[in-house]
Amino acid sequence: MFFKAKTQHTLYTAGATVLKKKAAPIKEITPEIETLSLNMTAAMNAFDGVGLAGPQYGISKRIVTLNIPAPENGFQSPGEALLIPLMPLTIINPEILEFGEELIPWNEGCLSVPDIFGEVIRPSTVKFQAQLLAGNIIECECGGLLARCIQHEIDHLDGHLFVERMAPEQFSKVESEFRRLERLGAKKKYKRRMKS
Ligand code: ZN
């Protein structure tokens, strides 16, 4: 492949309209989508993220890049065993088919909500489906950070940020900082740039 990733990346942060919109499904994997995937992967790496959704990059399309490290205690689910060796990985039109019953807390953060972290309770496993860039559709049961990340990124595609999922008493601890961020993000003056 001869695409070259950009070296300057702008991520959209809380308050930006693109983060509140429901992103559109991708009908066809065109060279533009492949270039976007390459640029999003470079941006994710430049910002040290484990996942990035199209809207965070200013593109309201159902595309997500992931770079989940292998868990120290080994793969806990078939999805991790299948997908983690493929990282960094781009997934298209991801969909959750089934949520596991067990709910667990996790201290989440987000490149679009810089410097704010908070506990979010979500199912520990999900059964999910997505298309890979090669065109094949995968379906698997995921646990661990991968399951957490998939849920967080699909929320982005649906126009939601993790702070909306925090319990009110947890959110109140970060609310003023978050509102400040939203005001800056809405004016589009708070984009992050970094050389990769
Ligand atoms: Zn995020």
Side-chain angles (χ1 to χ4, degrees):
M1 238 186 292
F2 298 101
F3 300 119
K4 203 168 177 292
K6 290 195 239 171
T7 51
Q8 286 261 345
H9 303 282
T10 301
L11 296 189
Y12 287 72
T13 51
T17 318
V18 68
L19 291 173
K20 293 179 190 161
K21 276 172 55 178
K22 197 173 163 77
I26 292 173
K27 291 188 190 124
E28 201 191 335
I29 299 165
T30 58
E32 287 72 27
I33 294 295
E34 294 194 37
T35 306
L36 174 62
S37 152
L38 199 70
N39 282 324
M40 282 176 59
T41 302
M44 172 178 68
N45 292 337
F47 286 95
D48 275 330
V50 293
L52 191 69
Q56 296 180 276
Y57 201 68
I59 306 291
S60 194
K61 290 192 167 132
R62 302 187 85 80
I63 177 170
V64 168
T65 57
L66 297 171
N67 196 11
I68 310 279
E72 280 168 20
N73 51 351
F75 302 130
Q76 304 296 310
S77 63
E80 291 168 272
L82 176 72
L83 298 179
I84 288 179
L86 305 177
M87 300 284 165
L89 179 70
T90 300
I91 54 175
I92 308 284
N93 301 328
E95 238 180 283
I96 290 172
L97 304 174
E98 236 175 270
F99 291 98
E101 277 174 21
E102 185 197 27
L103 298 174
I104 54 164
W106 200 298
N107 199 34
E108 290 190 26
C110 178
L111 295 177
S112 292
V113 190
D115 304 325
I116 294 179
F117 297 88
E119 186 186 284
V120 180
I121 293 170
R122 300 187 194 257
S124 61
T125 59
V126 290
K127 190 173 164 193
F128 107 110
Q129 177 192 291
Q131 190 171 20
L132 302 188
L133 275 186
N136 52 319
I137 305 232
I138 47 128
E139 186 186 310
C140 52
E141 175 106 28
C142 299
L145 177 60
L146 180 60
R148 178 60 54 159
C149 202
I150 286 167
Q151 294 176 78
H152 177 115
E153 302 306 336
I154 291 179
D155 270 355
H156 275 304
L157 301 181
D158 291 330
H160 300 296
L161 296 174
F162 80 92
V163 289
E164 297 169 46
R165 297 215 182 258
M166 289 171 72
E169 67 274 16
Q170 295 287 333
F171 180 63
S172 64
K173 294 182 201 164
V174 297
E175 183 167 8
S176 62
E177 178 62 12
F178 178 69
R179 296 297 173 215
R180 190 186 68 81
L181 199 64
E182 260 191 329
R183 285 192 295 275
L184 291 169
K187 289 187 219 148
K188 299 199 171 187
K189 282 183 184 162
Y190 197 79
K191 295 178 187 174
R192 293 172 128 197
R193 289 168 196 276
M194 194 187 277
K195 280 201 164 178
S196 58

